[in-house]
Amino acid sequence: MTVAVLSMIGCGKVGKTLGYLWHQHGIFRLGGVLNRSLASSQAAVDFMQAGTVAPSLQALPATDVFLLGCADNDLAACCEQLVASGKVRTGNIVLHCSGALSSAVLAPAKAVGALIASVHPVKSFADPAQAIGDFAGTFCGMEGDIAALEVLQPAFTRIGANLFPLNAQTKTLYHTASVMACNYLVALQEVSLQTFAQAGVERELAMQILQPIVQGTAANIFRLGTAQALTGPIARGDDSVVAKQLQALAQWQPDYAQLYRLLGKTACELSAQQGHASEQSLAAIRALLS
């Protein structure tokens, strides 16, 4: 059985993780790897233990599947340049892993007879060396040409992915949900650390304080649901505490006070679902937050 050749244009953290796993499982034969620099391309090839450095689009070998792993802002131009190189043939698959953009950004490839698709792993790829070890179980949203997905579904499933269909028209909101849950969680911890520092607690100690409470809260969310996982002054209906905290933030960092208000409004709705705080106290809190 012939193994399809996969080449990568823009092989970053996601590309290196997928490429390594596909190579190790014998799913694709890695072809050319083209990054912005030869050194970066070589580093990707070394990590994946497969593939060859391609100094240009014209130098890419004959390829069945093209993975475009460049930044979202560059995807359209990258696809146009790939098509202009003459490397895309009828029946080839052109794929990207962006969560924010649909497969429609690959329309130039479709116009010359290629099949297009997008498969987005809902995972943090901060460290590819770790990602290859814990990729199994990763949920991956997919959309695009059916014939392309028929090839890509087993390729992702064999490395442990849990695939689910996406609506290309609402993909921006889908990705926004992931950003809020993952990227903004990191940003929220930074806000907390800065607030600890303003209160006189050193960053290293603050990190130690946060770890168990953040991990415990996350565990409660997925064990109990968001409403039952909510604790703290809004869950109790302590409007006086909310007032003091809001005032302290407003005096020190008004932007953080506004963040407190916005998140507090959602916390009020969750508190109402819990039913522990009185409606009168929640009304007082809503007035403070508005």
Side-chain angles (χ1 to χ4, degrees), residues 84-250:
S85 74
K87 290 291 181 177
V88 181
R89 303 176 310 223
T90 300
N92 283 166
I93 294 173
V94 180
L95 158 76
H96 73 68
C97 293
S98 168
L101 300 178
S102 76
S103 58
V105 73
L106 304 174
K110 190 176 180 71
V112 295
L115 304 169
I116 60 175
S118 170
V119 181
H120 174 243
V122 188
K123 179 178 178 59
S124 173
F125 288 87
D127 180 4
Q130 178 177 339
I132 60 176
D134 59 18
F135 182 85
T138 297
F139 284 86
C140 296
M142 61 179 184
E143 51 90 7
D145 292 331
I146 294 175
L149 295 178
E150 287 176 347
V151 173
L152 296 172
Q153 277 185 276
F156 277 88
T157 300
R158 286 176 59 189
I159 59 174
N162 290 323
L163 294 163
F164 63 95
L166 285 176
N167 183 336
Q169 280 66 49
T170 58
K171 196 170 180 183
T172 297
L173 282 175
Y174 150 80
H175 190 247
T176 301
S178 300
V179 168
M180 294 285 282
C182 181
N183 310 146
Y184 282 10
L185 175 60
V186 176
L188 188 60
Q189 300 317 301
E190 177 59 28
V191 170
S192 176
L193 288 166
Q194 292 180 20
T195 308
F196 268 121
Q198 183 66 14
V201 180
E202 294 183 356
R203 189 179 185 92
E204 184 177 350
L205 175 58
M207 289 285 280
Q208 295 174 21
I209 294 169
L210 281 178
Q211 183 173 356
I213 193 171
V214 171
Q215 291 178 337
T217 300
N220 286 338
I221 288 170
F222 298 109
R223 184 170 63 90
L224 304 172
T226 53
Q228 295 307 312
L230 183 70
T231 60
I234 293 181
R236 296 189 301 269
D238 288 340
D239 56 289
S240 61
V241 173
V242 172
K244 290 177 181 178
Q245 292 179 345
L246 189 55
Q247 181 181 18
L249 282 174

